Amino acid sequence: AGARIVVVGGGFAGASCARALGREAGNLAVTLVEPNARYTACPFSNAVIAGLREMDGQNFGYEALRRTGVDVVTARVVAVDAETRRVRLEDGASLDYARLVLAPGIDLDLGAIPGYDAAAAAVLPHAWKAGEQTLLLRRQLEAMADGGLVVIAAPANPFRCPPGPYERASLIAYYLKARKPRSKLIILDAKDAFSKQRLFEAAWTELYGGLIEWVPLSGGGRLTAVDAATRTLTTEFGSHRAAVANVIPPQRAAAVAVAAGVADRTGWCPIDPVTFESRLRPGIHVIGDAAIAGAMPKSAFAADAQAKACARAVAALVRGREPDEPKLINTCYSLVAPDYGISIAGVYQPRGGLLAEVEGAGGVSPIKAPPSFRAVEATYAMAWFRTITDGIFG
Ligand code: FAD
């Protein structure tokens, strides 16, 4: 066999990269290390929370990846030695690599908001990693009485899935309007602007009247403390007592990135925009949410695009060739209602040491469009999810 490439993390970024590496010339030996036997995807998990979809549709296995020749090891990486090019697994075993690709996603910064620790997250779910947290938030909404106050606390940039909190607010509003119409939803935001804001706000007025209230940073949107026992969320401007509270805390690259020495003081991983190789540790590449990918948002679409570009670069580097400059695409779809989709798209390329947006490419859905247009975009969103998960896990 050729050079061994070890990929850490079997999410959109890592699983896609392992699959793409297997297709590269040069007879690479590819090992994917992931602690979970099944992957639970976040895209469309907001629809699960709103009762529009079941959790089964979010889960994917690694059988197809194994059949392509990737060695999938079910384990957690606990240490990385960049000098000897070796990763250590939880059970003490180790793996040598010629090049390492880290795709571990995010850790939630429990401790950033006073009162919001792991125990509080069991009462005030973040639901920002799909799985049990997703179902917890759903059950809390189902159990809530009509007339209750739902609060979503959204973090400052950068964070996983910039439009995600607002898609979530939309779909929860859809559920409340149908089932608990006297209820109200407040978004407490740690910033003054958000992704696709004009589209979301116009749609909220059109579909949900005054049900959703967005409180920006400058209006007192930033959380200063939470009290899980009373479900009280405090800001500089006062307190909100919620019936259901979804606290999305700040985030950073997952712990293994810190252990490998590839995260900087921001908590994220600086990379070369052509090869995705770490600026801090040679031989280690970082892709997906953990990376500082310049203007690219932290999305599954972006993670998959970075994974494929990184696989090409890694294959070129191990063969001693010059990697090509990549062009990467991202599209983020959001559902405002089951038959109402909106999107934002961009094209990115290396410029000035970062991934920069290509001027004039991409854009957002039109602010004025007939319902049929929004309905078609909702079908595109679903088609995108089927295509990306099929391409990686199918
Ligand atoms: P992850 O998907 O988190 O995968 C990381 C993997 O690494 C995990 O499987 C983890 O177990 C593994 N790992 C971590 N540490 C270790 C270790 N030490 N050893 C081994 N393995 C490890 N994106 C879109 O494009 N479209 C959407 O519509 C969309 N909707 C979203 C909705 C919500 C509510 C949320 C929260 C996110 C959404 N996203 C969406 C964003 C998307 O989920 C992320 O951007 C994407 O999952 C990033 O992929 P990743 O591979 O970097 O990280």
Side-chain angles (χ1 to χ4, degrees), residues 9 11-13 34-35 39 42-43 77 104-105 160-161 288-289 299-301 384:
F12 282 101
E34 159 64 48
Y39 177 67
C42 285
V77 171
R160 160 176 285 181
C161 196
D289 284 1
S299 77
F301 197 121
W384 164 76

Side-chain angles (χ1 to χ4, degrees), residues 40-42 44-51 53-55 58 125-141 168 246:
T40 304
C42 285
F44 279 89
S45 65
N46 286 330
V48 175
I49 290 167
R53 182 179 164 81
E54 294 311 316
M55 206 64 193
Q58 300 300 115
H126 52 76
W128 221 241
K129 288 191 179 192
E132 201 28 61
Q133 281 270 314
T134 311
L135 294 173
L136 176 61
L137 184 53
R138 170 170 164 162
R139 285 194 302 267
Q140 290 184 348
L141 289 165
R168 177 171 292 176
N246 166 215

Side-chain angles (χ1 to χ4, degrees), residues 331-350:
T331 306
C332 285
Y333 294 98
S334 300
L335 294 179
V336 184
D339 61 351
Y340 193 122
I342 55 177
S343 63
I344 180 165
V347 182
Y348 307 85
Q349 67 183 19

